[in-house]
Amino acid sequence: MNGVPRHERRWASDTVPDKAAVSTGTSPETEYNSFSDEYVEVTLDLQDDHTIVLRGVEPITVINVNDGVATSGNETPASDARSPTVRRSSSNRLRQFSQELKAEAFAKARQFSQELKAELRRFSWSHGVSETALVARDLRKQRAQLDRSRSGAKKAIRGLKFISSKSNGVDGWNEVQRNFDSFAKDGFLYRTDFAQCIGPDSKEFALELFDALSRRQRLKVEKISRDELYEFWSQITDQSFDSRLQIFFDMVDKNEDGRIAEEEVKEIIMLSASANKLSRLKEQAEEYAALIMEELDPERLGYIELWQLETLLLQKDTYLNYSQALSYTSQALSQNLQGLRKRSPIRRMSRRLLYYLQENWKRLWILTLWISIMMGLFTWKFIQYKRKDAYHIMGYCLPTAKGAAETLKFNMALILLPVCRNTITWLRSTKLAYIVPFDDNINFHKTIAAAIVIGVILHAGDHLACDFPRLVNAPEYVYKKYLNGVFGDHKPTYGDLVIGVEGMTGILMVVFMAIAFTLATKWFRRNLIKLPKPFNRLTGFNAFWYSHHLFVIVYLLLIIHGVNLYFVHKWYLKTTWMYLAVPILLYVGERTLRFFRSGLYTVHLIKVAIYPGNVLTLQMSKPPQFRYKSGQYMFVQCPAVSPFEWHPFSITSAPDNDYLSVHIRQLGDWTQELKRVFSEACEPPVAGKSGLLRADETTKKSLPKLKIDGPYGAPAQDYRKYDVLLLVGLGIGATPFISILKDLLNNIIKTEDTDSPSLNKISPKRKKTLKTTNAYFYWVTREQGSFDWFKGVMNEVDELDQRGVIEMHNYLTSVYEEGDARSALITMVQALNHAKNGFDVVSGTRVRTHFARPNWKKVFSKICSKHCNGRIGVFYCGAPVLAKELSKLCFEFNEKGSTKFEFHKEHF
């Protein structure tokens, strides 16, 4: 064998003569003919130790490449001159025949290659390759083929999509053709525009896909025609898993030797990490490439083949058993089928109405009572002023304005009650909570504000546009007959009425309330409107906070306005002060309590950390008098940022912890400045600890002072009354549920300690059982660094929750959904690493990270199947869009079966 020349790789772009000779070991025929597709290329390497290694056996089609246009070797020159239009007009039957012919040729080549591999392998055994290793690999290959033949295994290998499903099919190709027309230059699509043309978001991944498909076609070009693009598209959208697996394998196998080395695995891991915005995974690509090779190449031959990659996909579900979703049982199916039975439209409507009443009866009776009071006050005042002499001049304008004024006084008093947070927190613990929806206090505050706007329009509009002009235009004798002495000896002018005490106070109130109402809308409060400087200061939380304090001036003006009335002169008939006395005293008492309590609650910072995603964590000492429930929140003030502003944040520590903690995300001007102040006092993190910047009691620089006030009630604090919890947090919205998880974990530990026989002998007291039997925590975020925020909590829950009370699910929306080729290798690495080392490579915790967004309908179905007839509390904190979807699902599942879901959303 010494005489065998070393193999030199011939790329498809090399010039191929008309009579092509195949490489060593091919068919003895040397002349190219019309059946050239039946030729194969065998690649052999002669090693320095005189052993021969088989690199690959592949079918070959001889191709000429002229100016970027590939033609078969048996085509005449005239075919090159044929226009694309003529070629595209060829019949589908001819295309089908050529594909069948090609498939048959490939099958023959594959059969020949397998036989040749077997012969050459026997030869290689005697030349330095371990016979035991090859035999072991052959046995594993046979077992893998047996597993693949099972019906269950076939379902497990679905996936490896290169584009989104909605882009598939005829419509998808039409869209690609339109993109081709937009990006093509001189009838060719360049490699750099391939990603934009076919649709993948990741340009790097699309370029690797382009190169792999080019190699499959024996092309190495920088541009392709429309027909070649269609060929690429057909392969990408092929529904056959084998075809998609082969494309994925070819993307990794860049040297086309039929094997994947560790360095090639590393490259595709880095590519997948880049496509899914996983910077940390990219940094550890070498480590995870070694992990895959360790799993798939136990014989240590230094490479893996196609069947081994397929085996890993088959075993993916076995590795991913940790943190699996609940099994969907027939019990849930039968429960759901009860709701799918045909009902008459009247019965469906009656059931929906009944459910609506059951879910909203608290809100409905409060709103009914409120509207009834306003209607009663309006009617009473309307009738009263209709009987006055002024009615003969001013008509219905006067009683309408005065009726609206009476509702205004009532609403201006009532609007203060929903923001008396201490009072509401106390009322939550009373029996009144069973009939009053205290969770909706902020929504009710906004509803009252809307009623005030309507009242102002009616009251001020009637005065300025109706009864004032009627009074001014009334004849002198009519004025003296009905209103003599009311406005003085002489009939007032319009200006006299407007610039008087009553008129000016009313106008100023309207102006101040308009400012406060406008800056409180979400467009201004959340910076959704971008204004040029210096008007940009009118947007943001600061503008809302300070403008809302104009209500102090408004209430002073309201009292003055109510005292100086034209038609009422006796003090006990002037009712404005009667409406406002109790609410104002209550509110002033609340603010006074907050002022003194914030001074009483002296805290010092224990630890500060700034995590990825601009999240600031503050851990502080807990005052002895500060007692709270999980799910509640508190107000925080930092004098170094602003001595006036207080901002609410969910408490993320558990009641049993000896410290308080909050997680603050940079979302506005105040939080941005707070992060800057603490960043200056922080130091770089110690090796092995998470967080970009850290500070604690040992930090040399002094930390800024903090003041706290609270705690205050929130919907999540009532989680204990439910059998099962479904906690859903979006991004920083997970904070109120972290405290609940910690509290549940502490209760689990206490229960286990109580169950200890030794403790039972010492303390025979009856233990208090926890009503909540299960909790399901779903955390959806779009940044990988977010998992650092609560990494310790998740690991602690996974380690100490031996009974499986808490089930956690992390979802990362920046990663393509499972089954997509762009995330396939990440899923494999994730599964392998957890099976080997016990933690998730994406989150860095013991909890598995799912990709894309959850299918909430499946989540509800699976929980419903496991907890039939249970009472499930659904608690949500995040964007309003998902709140609507979750609320709708609660309605649908409550309508279908006996399991009851009760939805609660956090409000601040």
Side-chain angles (χ1 to χ4, degrees), residues 74-326:
N74 62 341
E75 286 183 340
T76 61
S79 65
D80 293 337
R82 217 176 292 170
S83 67
T85 305
V86 175
R87 284 188 281 114
R88 282 197 301 270
S89 64
S90 59
S91 67
N92 292 332
R93 186 175 300 174
L94 180 61
R95 181 185 296 272
Q96 182 180 0
F97 174 75
S98 64
Q99 289 176 348
E100 292 174 355
L101 186 63
K102 184 183 291 185
E104 184 180 355
F106 271 85
K108 290 181 179 179
R110 188 177 292 110
Q111 181 181 0
F112 173 75
S113 67
Q114 290 173 351
E115 294 173 357
L116 185 59
K117 281 183 181 179
E119 292 296 327
L120 290 173
R121 188 174 290 138
R122 295 191 188 96
F123 176 80
S124 64
W125 287 347
S126 59
H127 290 77
V129 179
S130 171
E131 180 176 353
T132 305
L134 291 173
V135 169
R137 178 166 285 196
D138 280 341
L139 289 174
R140 287 199 302 116
K141 184 175 182 180
Q142 292 174 9
R143 286 196 298 269
Q145 291 173 344
L146 180 63
D147 290 339
R148 194 187 191 284
S149 65
R150 298 171 184 168
S151 58
K154 291 180 180 178
K155 295 179 182 178
I157 58 177
R158 291 174 182 172
L160 284 180
K161 297 176 294 185
F162 295 96
I163 57 172
S164 59
S165 56
K166 64 182 180 181
S167 301
N168 212 335
V170 178
D171 294 337
W173 170 241
N174 292 335
E175 180 65 24
V176 170
Q177 287 191 95
R178 287 192 290 269
N179 293 337
F180 179 88
D181 295 335
S182 301
F183 296 109
K185 299 173 183 177
D186 299 327
F188 289 95
L189 177 71
Y190 283 80
R191 178 176 177 268
T192 53
D193 298 324
F194 183 68
Q196 292 176 284
C197 185
I198 66 170
D201 300 328
S202 172
K203 185 175 182 180
E204 294 178 7
F205 193 91
L207 293 179
E208 291 294 338
L209 181 60
F210 179 93
D211 293 340
L213 294 172
S214 298
R215 291 194 295 268
R216 287 164 64 91
Q217 298 294 322
R218 287 290 185 235
L219 299 172
K220 193 178 181 182
V221 293
E222 291 294 321
K223 58 184 180 180
I224 55 175
S225 65
R226 186 189 296 267
D227 287 345
E228 290 164 339
L229 176 63
Y230 180 76
E231 184 66 26
F232 283 11
W233 178 259
S234 300
Q235 295 180 56
I236 292 172
T237 56
D238 193 331
Q239 296 302 308
S240 166
F241 175 79
D242 292 329
S243 174
R244 285 178 284 178
L245 178 65
Q246 184 66 58
I247 295 175
F248 186 76
F249 186 88
D250 292 342
M251 289 179 65
V252 189
D253 181 25
K254 295 185 179 181
N255 59 4
E256 298 182 275
D257 61 355
R259 300 172 177 180
I260 301 177
E262 184 172 335
E263 188 62 29
E264 292 173 316
V265 175
K266 176 186 173 183
E267 289 182 16
I268 199 67
I269 289 177
M270 293 181 66
L271 180 66
S272 299
S274 177
N276 292 279
K277 302 175 184 178
L278 300 175
S279 57
R280 296 182 186 176
L281 192 69
K282 192 174 182 180
E283 294 168 0
Q284 296 174 291
E286 186 173 351
E287 175 186 346
Y288 296 137
L291 182 67
I292 287 182
M293 295 301 295
E294 179 185 349
E295 175 68 18
L296 298 185
D297 183 27
E299 300 84 13
R300 304 199 176 191
L301 298 179
Y303 63 88
I304 58 177
E305 297 173 322
L306 179 66
W307 68 269
Q308 291 164 294
L309 190 65
E310 181 180 312
T311 301
L312 184 60
L313 287 172
L314 283 169
Q315 295 177 346
K316 180 190 69 173
D317 290 339
T318 303
Y319 292 118
L320 291 181
N321 277 336
Y322 64 101
S323 188
Q324 284 290 336
L326 307 173

Side-chain angles (χ1 to χ4, degrees), residues 799-819:
E799 181 180 353
L800 299 177
D801 181 22
Q802 300 299 325
R803 299 184 181 184
V805 174
I806 302 171
E807 185 176 295
M808 295 178 292
H809 297 267
N810 295 333
Y811 280 83
L812 187 61
T813 58
S814 67
V815 181
Y816 291 97
E817 63 182 346
E818 294 171 13

Side-chain angles (χ1 to χ4, degrees), residues 446-461:
K446 295 176 181 178
T447 304
I448 297 170
I452 289 175
V453 172
I454 297 172
V456 167
I457 293 173
L458 282 175
H459 178 69

